[in-house]
Amino acid sequence: LSEVLQTERVFTNVSKGEFAKAKDLQKVFGTKDEEEIARMILDKGQVQVSDKERSQQLEKTNAQIAEWISKNCVQPNTDRPYTISQIRHCIQQANFNVHPTKPLKRQYLDCVKLLQNIIPIQRAKMELLLLVPDREDSTTAVEKTMKENDVEWDVETKSDAKQGEGSRQYRIIVDPS
């Protein structure tokens, strides 16, 4: 406990250096033992963040969202990414507000939806590689499933001379959502 606390005393006003009175401690915490009270505060209390710390955290989150959008989204007509500065400018135009406790990925997805009202933007398609043994039953099932789901793909057949068997390599393009 002494490694965590600067002092083991409980204050009513730390900036003025006013210590809490024993009767006030008894009334609020049900005990006068300041070490026990310190443990209660550490276990059940809330961390207070200064305006400067909060502002820095929001700016950091905003920068991460802009970076994710720049990395994972493209201009639909050209399939080229936007720069981080372009994204940050559009985020400001959209009046997107970063939330300090919401998961970053959720905010990223919400921001992309909001940006679609301002600029042409979409999430970049993902490229997957699927290796399937070159047997007719396997390849037929895979190709049938991809056709049924309107999946964009191309195929390359490879053979392994050592093992005497081949495989089909499917390059699949899918929407990340």
Side-chain angles (χ1 to χ4, degrees):
L1 195 61
S2 63
E3 292 175 15
V4 176
L5 302 176
Q6 289 180 341
T7 179
E8 293 180 6
R9 299 290 313 265
V10 178
F11 292 85
T12 54
N13 187 331
V14 72
S15 60
K16 293 182 181 179
E18 296 174 0
F19 294 110
K21 295 182 177 101
K23 68 176 187 169
D24 292 337
L25 294 176
Q26 182 66 42
K27 182 177 175 185
V28 174
F29 295 101
T31 182
K32 295 177 188 176
D33 182 5
E34 291 187 349
E35 189 173 311
E36 188 178 330
I37 291 170
R39 288 184 198 283
M40 279 188 223
I41 292 170
L42 288 172
D43 289 342
K44 299 176 185 172
Q46 295 178 344
V47 176
Q48 294 186 2
V49 181
S50 73
D51 288 342
K52 188 175 181 179
E53 288 174 309
R54 188 178 305 106
S55 176
Q56 286 176 336
Q57 182 58 38
L58 290 176
E59 178 54 34
K60 181 180 172 188
T61 303
N62 207 344
Q64 286 177 312
I65 290 170
E67 183 181 341
W68 277 18
I69 291 172
S70 180
K71 282 183 177 179
N72 299 315
C73 295
V74 293
Q75 205 278 359
N77 298 332
T78 63
D79 274 345
R80 295 184 54 88
Y82 287 100
T83 65
I84 293 175
S85 61
Q86 288 172 317
I87 296 297
R88 291 189 81 146
H89 177 73
C90 292
I91 288 173
Q92 286 177 337
Q93 278 185 311
N95 292 323
F96 180 76
N97 294 318
V98 173
H99 194 278
T101 58
K102 230 179 177 182
L104 194 60
K105 185 171 183 177
R106 175 81 264 146
Q107 292 189 73
Y108 151 73
L109 294 170
D110 291 345
C111 189
V112 169
K113 286 180 187 172
L114 193 59
L115 290 178
Q116 289 172 337
N117 298 324
I118 294 180
I119 56 173
I121 190 168
Q122 70 181 20
R123 291 177 64 198
K125 295 192 186 286
M126 292 175 27
E127 183 176 319
L128 306 174
L129 198 59
L130 177 64
L131 293 172
V132 178
D134 194 17
R135 295 190 319 256
E136 190 170 333
D137 59 333
S138 299
T139 57
T140 303
V142 167
E143 291 176 12
K144 180 182 175 200
T145 302
M146 288 193 289
K147 284 178 186 174
E148 288 172 354
N149 292 290
D150 292 324
V151 174
E152 183 183 325
W153 55 277
D154 61 26
V155 65
E156 182 180 321
T157 304
K158 293 185 174 191
S159 60
D160 187 349
K162 293 178 188 172
Q163 295 182 6
E165 59 185 52
S167 64
R168 285 196 175 202
Q169 179 175 302
Y170 292 91
R171 191 176 66 82
I172 304 167
I173 309 295
V174 295
D175 193 330
S177 52

